């Protein structure tokens, strides 16, 4: 008589799953601290350029504007967007990086790992710019955007909008 513990019908099922990607394959996500550091560096560089602009032009963003500090100021938004594009446009278009991302060795890519198109970059950064047109909206947008980084995917709201991820370069 055969031993039932060695009978094949009692063995655990055997299966090969080929369509599930190995978790170690693909680009490695950038850390939350790296991403925060890149944003801080980008803000510092943009503020320095804005300060230089205020020294050589009549424009001074640190002087209170009519309507108070929380009022809509299209000139400030346009100058801020222009400075961001001048500082980071080429790097973003060619490498998927801002100056801060270059320094911290991280970059923006599609979830597949391919380069990000200029259209997706415009969506990614334009979402915050459009939200900034209404003060209450930008506060809610910014809060949701930065809190989403704590998910397992580490994707923020602007990452979701543009279907991008930030990875180690």
């Amino acid at each position: 008589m055969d031993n039932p513990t060695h009978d094949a019908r009692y063995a655990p099922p055997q299966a090969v799953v080929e369509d599930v990607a190995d978790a170690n394959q693909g680009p490695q996500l950038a850390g939350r601290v790296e991403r925060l550091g890149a944003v801080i560096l980008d803000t510092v560089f943009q503020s320095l350029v804005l300060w230089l602009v205020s020294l050589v032009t009549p424009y001074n963003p640190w002087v209170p504007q009519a309507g108070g500090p929380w009022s809509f100021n299209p000139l400030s938004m346009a100058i801020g967007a222009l400075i961001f594009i001048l500082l980071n446009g080429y790097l973003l278009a060619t490498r998927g990086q801002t100056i801060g991302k270059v320094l911290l060795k991280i970059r923006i890519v599609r979830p597949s790992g391919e380069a990000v198109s200029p259209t997706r970059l415009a969506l990614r950064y334009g979402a915050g710019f459009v939200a900034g047109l209404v003060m209450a909206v930008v506060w809610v947008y910014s809060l949701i955007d930065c809190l989403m980084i704590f998910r397992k995917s580490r994707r923020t709201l602007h990452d979701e909008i543009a279907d991008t991820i930030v990875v180690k370069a």
Side-chain angles (χ1 to χ4, degrees), residues 20-28 111:
V20 177
D22 182 9
N24 294 329
Q25 290 180 351
Q28 184 180 6

Side-chain angles (χ1 to χ4, degrees), residues 43-67:
T43 302
V44 167
F45 290 125
Q46 187 148 347
S47 296
L48 286 172
V49 171
L50 193 56
W51 174 71
L52 289 172
V53 166
S54 73
L55 291 178
V56 297
T57 68
Y59 176 72
N60 190 340
W62 291 278
V63 172
Q65 304 294 318

Side-chain angles (χ1 to χ4, degrees), residues 2-161:
D2 289 12
N3 184 344
T5 59
H6 295 291
D7 194 346
R9 62 185 169 178
Y10 297 109
Q14 300 291 321
V16 176
V17 181
E18 296 178 22
D19 62 340
V20 177
D22 182 9
N24 294 329
Q25 290 180 351
Q28 184 180 6
L29 291 175
R32 293 174 185 99
V33 173
E34 293 165 309
R35 290 188 68 173
L36 175 63
V39 169
I40 291 170
L41 287 170
D42 289 334
T43 302
V44 167
F45 290 125
Q46 187 148 347
S47 296
L48 286 172
V49 171
L50 193 56
W51 174 71
L52 289 172
V53 166
S54 73
L55 291 178
V56 297
T57 68
Y59 176 72
N60 190 340
W62 291 278
V63 172
Q65 304 294 318
W70 305 114
S71 63
F72 177 67
N73 188 336
L75 177 62
S76 290
M77 289 185 74
I79 290 172
L82 181 63
I83 290 171
F84 180 82
I85 291 168
L86 290 173
L87 283 176
N88 299 299
Y90 179 78
L91 287 171
L92 281 167
T94 59
R95 300 170 51 168
Q97 295 176 297
T98 61
I99 294 171
K101 285 177 175 60
V102 169
L103 293 173
L104 294 180
K105 298 181 173 79
I106 59 178
R107 63 189 173 98
I108 306 164
V109 296
R110 296 292 312 280
S112 63
E114 66 186 279
V116 180
S117 71
T119 303
R120 288 199 185 273
L121 289 168
L123 275 173
R124 189 175 201 277
Y125 289 100
F129 184 80
V130 170
L133 296 174
V134 179
M135 192 54 65
V137 173
V138 77
W139 289 350
V140 173
Y141 172 86
S142 298
L143 179 63
I144 292 169
D145 188 46
C146 67
L147 288 177
M148 287 178 76
I149 194 76
F150 294 104
R151 300 180 305 159
K152 184 178 179 182
S153 69
R154 296 185 200 157
R155 291 177 80 184
T156 59
L157 182 55
H158 61 270
D159 284 322
E160 294 288 346
I161 289 169

